[in-house]
């Protein structure tokens, strides 16, 4: 039996800020090297979300500077030309964990409303330095400045400084600076790789990156076309749950069940609403607040199982499109072959998603490992660098695709890009590094890659044929001058001369192989020079 | 430029309950199959934390029942004989996310104070059924009953029913029931495997598990010795950060810096405190509240870098010990060889940890895959089943150990158990499925496995020698009867008879090979019967 002292447990509540302060490694801040990488990511992703998602061609500037002589402190500054943050929102947007604009149904890079706040927490626990924000929105007359930290116990911002000044040109955007303990030497290659991979899928962005050593990387905009921005949508009824329905009715906006269903969900029109309500044995005019829990649950189960809805709306999504993918791959790899595809929208558990794939081959594409092509994974336009081994995309390119069937004999100079966009990417963790194996998604990935791989096969097969043709000509042509010489001797000076015989033979060879005569002659010329 | 409508972002704050309701897959509740597995885990781990961590030999009963005729609803009930939960705490302990007894420095299975609450959320969103709790503590006269759900917007419990009755025997413990939408057919093998692997490391527990089909699995207690319970400790100064120091001084408990350092940290005595304070150029008697941020940061950096502390205290840890590991492996595998080791405490980033390893070979141990031994991973006594590929333990047994050197030629009937216990296991996610690659931990894992593997090598090498010996005897003995017969004929009836000659030859063979005579004779007998 337990003694009294052993039975005492210390229960306590902690704030969301304290939770992520204690367990910061969950959000990707496990150590100084990883934290530096993660901070760059969070700031860059916010900068891109503030621009391309709002129809603005992004100009992004990333600077990492050593911020202390003795300690490994780094100041990370990211500047964008985005829509900025409303001044009264700034303190909470940077100083309150679980406060965000990302909690809506729309594809964004940010998802959890968490990253930059954990970076602020990491900065204040390692260097004590606050976050600094300069921001202005289009149409505003002033630029606003804030310096703040987070009160961990209360999960509230503490404003240390604030100010504003008049704009003299219509600048809008944000400049955010954070100073954290980092480990540049250990995170350098990841950070560079992250920015390069970001550049691959944002050929419409100017990206400038300055390292602590003063190196400058400049990815110049190569196309002016933006992917169409995502729009916010209502939830799809296939993804409904009891709590969602309760939360909707508690808004008090709907006086009848019919109203609630048709106005708060996508894909439920008049006919569908009536069907669902009658299957649940309910009255369309009932006040939603008066439906019993049991009836509500029956309705939920009917809504989840009904299979004649229109699929979830894809306007919440913003795929890159084949042109952007091809331009991006070309900007970095200058390949001999490049193709890309964007699949039609699909859905899992009521969440719409689109898979895109691109392949670049040859040119400056590096040689792949022997077991799989080089892989660039993306989710909602974010490059995924860590945990490749546990990602569904890796599983597909290793297990579901036989590359030899596509004439790709690994190792080969091939890079495969896969992009999954969704209002809810099934990430395995808050760190957003790998995607769970959801069968609907896996199938679409396979189809997308196969589609592009077939085009690669056509290209490679043509290339092989041409090479074979060339070989054939060379093989033939090698003997033609000799044969011509021999014949010209046999026939003697009365008959056709050497050059005429050569010409006749070239004609015969061209007719037999189907290769244009002038090509045959070119090869013959080379053989003559060679011998 | 962006138009006005495009610049509107919808910012909002959400509660911790809403966060984990929205992103439940982060806590392991990705789909009905996974949710069923995760719910069992959370309840079983709480049950074990309530017993063995408090010196009680656990009796745990797990029941999974189909809870609906039509839908895939399952009721999961876990009963323990632990220390129970104080009645006034019950509502928050089950109805408030981020309220827990696990936010202290002490090894527990639970860690984030999250799991069971997300299970409650999952239950109420899929089946609408509340959680039911029956509990009593040792010494209390009554048993308490609660039925509750979570108000997601407020992150507060809503008590639906409560009650209590007099105990007629001194029962203590908890019975917790949850009804969720599950997928038993797809989670069955994982759940069974989880319970079996739990049984491996808790040979001191009676565990009964009843499946929806009515199958009963009973793992009977085989030893009465409990690992010594973990004790709560103060933080180690190597893991200090600026926020921690600020939070400690804000408690107002300490009137001088000297007091604060010596009383709120482990491993800081009089001498160390004075050294640290003088290196930071501070006055030992200064009121901690009056130290500037800059001075405080200097002190933090000095504390982090000082390298003469005693290592972190291991009394916060509760390793299994070699006896428990061996008993556990034997209970399940009845192997021909079993060994285990518990390494000395070590530390990473100020967190103490201990690595243990066990190996079972032969008997009922199944054949391993060709690339690595069968592996049982544990962290703080929790079996880890998912994401094996991204775990540091897997990396060690695949990359750091050459099994051939230990005479283990894969595939082989070998299972390796590795247990890492720490006040802070560096899990890669809230789902607690894989451990990050921390170099200090990786080194200890390698040393632990090597230590046990060396014992296995000794055993196998002895076994091989004995087999060779046996072969030798058999080879020798095969000829002895024939030689004896031949000799007895040559010598004729006057000399020694066949049996005497046989005896002499056996004696010579025994002397030559060093094998006891009676063993040689046994083999000869077999040969005689065989021929």
């Amino acid at each position: 039996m337990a003694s009294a002292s052993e039975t005492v447990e210390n229960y306590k509540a902690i704030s969301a800020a304290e939770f992520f302060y204690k367990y910061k490694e969950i959000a990707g801040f496990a150590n100084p090297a990883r934290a530096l990488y993660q901070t760059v990511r969070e700031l860059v992703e916010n900068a891109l979300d503030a621009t391309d998602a709002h129809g603005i061609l992004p100009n992004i500037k990333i600077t990492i500077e050593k911020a202390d002589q003795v300690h490994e402190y780094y100041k990370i500054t990211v500047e964008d030309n985005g829509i900025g943050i409303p001044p009264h929102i700034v303190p909470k947007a940077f100083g309150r964990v679980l406060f965000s604009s990302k909690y809506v149904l729309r594809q964004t890079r940010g998802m959890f409303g968490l990253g930059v706040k954990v970076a602020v927490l990491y900065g204040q626990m390692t260097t004590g330095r606050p976050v600094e924000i300069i921001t202005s929105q289009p149409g505003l007359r002033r630029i606003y400045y804030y310096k703040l930290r987070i009160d961990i116990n209360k999960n509230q911002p503490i404003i240390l400084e604030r100010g504003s000044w008049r704009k003299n040109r219509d600048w809008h955007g944000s400049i955010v600076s954070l100073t954290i303990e980092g480990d540049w030497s250990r995170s350098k290659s990841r950070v560079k790789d992250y920015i390069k991979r970001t550049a691959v899928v944002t050929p419409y962005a100017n990206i400038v990156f300055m390292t602590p050593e003063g190196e400058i990387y400049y990815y110049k905009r190569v196309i002016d076309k933006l992917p169409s921005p995502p729009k916010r949508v209502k939830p799809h009824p296939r993804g409904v749950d009891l709590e969602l329905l309760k939360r909707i009715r508690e808004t008090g906006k709907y006086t009848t069940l019919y109203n609630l269903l048709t106005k708060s969900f996508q894909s439920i029109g008049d006919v569908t609403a009536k069907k669902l309500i009658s299957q649940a044995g309910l009255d369309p005019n009932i006040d939603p607040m008066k439906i019993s829990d049991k009836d509500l649950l029956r309705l939920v189960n009917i809504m989840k199982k009904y299979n004649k809805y229109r699929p979830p709306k894809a306007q919440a999504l913003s795929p890159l499109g084949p042109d952007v993918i091809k331009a991006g791959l070309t900007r970095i790899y200058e390949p001999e072959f490049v193709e890309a595809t964007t699949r039609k929208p699909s859905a899992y558990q009521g969440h719409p998603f689109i898979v895109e794939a691109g392949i670049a081959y040859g040119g400056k594409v590096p040689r792949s490992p022997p077991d799989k092509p080089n892989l660039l994974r993306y989710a909602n336009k974010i490059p995924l660098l860590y945990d490749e081994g546990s990602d569904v995309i890796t599983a597909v390119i290793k297990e579901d695709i036989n590359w030899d069937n596509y004439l790709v004999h690994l190792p080969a100079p091939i890079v495969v890009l896969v992009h999954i966009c969704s209002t809810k990417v099934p990430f395995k963790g808050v760190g957003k590094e790998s995607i769970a194996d959801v069968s609907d998604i896996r199938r679409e990935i396979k189809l997308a890659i196969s589609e592009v791989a077939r085009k690669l096969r056509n290209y490679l097969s043509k290339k092989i044929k041409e090479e074979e043709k060339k070989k054939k000509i060379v093989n033939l042509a090698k003997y033609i001058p000799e044969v011509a010489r021999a014949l010209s001797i046999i026939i003697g000076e009365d008959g056709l001369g050497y050059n005429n015989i050569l010409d006749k033979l070239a004609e015969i060879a061209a007719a037999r192989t189907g290769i244009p005569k002038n090509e045959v002659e070119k090869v013959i010329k080379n053989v003559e020079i060679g011998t």
Side-chain angles (χ1 to χ4, degrees), chain A residues 165-371:
Chain A
W165 58 88
R166 273 190 75 85
K167 284 198 234 186
N168 35 24
R169 57 183 180 102
D170 189 25
W171 180 79
H172 56 84
S174 299
I175 306 171
V176 180
S177 288
L178 270 163
T179 305
I180 65 163
E181 185 182 11
D183 184 340
W184 173 244
S185 67
R186 281 187 50 220
S187 59
K188 191 192 294 196
S189 71
R190 289 272 185 182
V191 171
K192 286 182 188 172
D193 203 20
Y194 168 78
I195 291 171
K196 184 173 149 192
R197 291 195 190 194
T198 298
V200 170
V201 290
T202 53
Y204 50 79
N206 278 322
I207 300 177
V208 181
F209 169 42
M210 205 186 291
T211 71
E213 299 92 349
E215 286 173 56
I216 293 175
Y217 293 83
Y218 179 33
Y219 298 94
K220 200 175 173 330
R221 177 177 299 131
V222 290
I223 56 171
D224 281 332
K225 203 185 114 192
L226 275 175
S228 62
K231 290 194 174 54
R232 188 179 168 178
V233 293
K234 294 169 187 167
H236 191 275
R238 272 195 93 78
V240 73
D241 65 66
L242 189 58
E243 278 299 328
L244 178 63
L245 216 51
K246 282 187 180 174
R247 290 158 65 86
I248 290 172
R249 78 170 173 185
E250 271 154 28
T251 60
K253 282 190 201 160
Y254 310 100
T255 50
T256 69
L257 176 56
Y258 175 86
N259 252 323
L260 185 151
L261 289 182
T262 50
K263 295 206 174 136
S264 61
F265 287 95
Q266 52 169 291
S267 308
I268 298 188
D270 174 67
V271 178
T272 309
K274 281 177 183 157
K275 257 193 220 161
L276 296 171
I277 292 171
S278 94
Q279 275 187 42
L282 292 170
D283 173 1
N285 293 318
I286 191 173
D287 175 355
M289 295 307 284
K290 287 187 180 143
I291 305 174
S292 74
D293 273 19
K294 221 179 134 185
D295 287 345
L296 214 56
L297 182 61
R298 197 168 55 251
L299 179 63
V300 164
N301 281 318
I302 286 164
M303 288 172 73
K304 273 157 81 175
K305 290 209 173 122
Y306 185 79
N307 54 14
K308 287 177 187 157
Y309 298 115
R310 271 165 286 142
K313 285 186 183 162
Q315 73 234 50
L317 305 183
S318 171
L320 298 161
D323 291 346
V324 168
I325 297 176
K326 286 194 278 184
L329 287 170
T330 304
R331 164 157 90 165
I332 307 291
Y333 296 109
E334 300 166 26
E336 58 173 82
F337 167 90
V338 65
E339 263 303 338
T341 187
T342 298
R343 297 273 311 160
K344 281 198 188 131
S346 190
Y348 80 96
Q349 295 164 27
H351 310 296
F353 73 93
I354 289 175
V355 173
E356 302 181 280
I359 293 181
Y361 188 95
K364 292 189 178 165
V365 176
R367 217 168 170 65
S368 72
D371 59 333

Side-chain angles (χ1 to χ4, degrees), chain A residues 46-115:
Chain A
N46 284 349
L48 287 167
D49 275 343
T51 47
D52 67 2
H54 298 273
I56 301 169
L57 288 168
N59 294 327
I60 311 282
K61 191 177 158 194
I62 306 143
T63 316
I64 305 179
E65 301 157 274
K66 190 96 195 287
D68 192 278
Q69 301 281 328
V70 182
H71 303 289
E72 293 288 300
Y73 295 170
Y74 292 90
K75 181 170 184 178
I76 300 121
T77 303
V78 175
E79 176 173 352
D80 67 59
N81 59 333
I83 58 153
I85 303 151
H88 66 286
I89 295 286
V90 170
K92 284 192 174 174
F94 288 87
R96 184 175 163 86
V97 176
L98 308 190
F99 179 90
S100 174
S101 65
K102 310 287 166 84
Y103 300 131
V104 291
L105 286 178
R106 189 188 65 192
Q107 173 190 330
T108 45
R109 294 175 177 82
M111 199 171 137
F112 301 108
L114 211 57

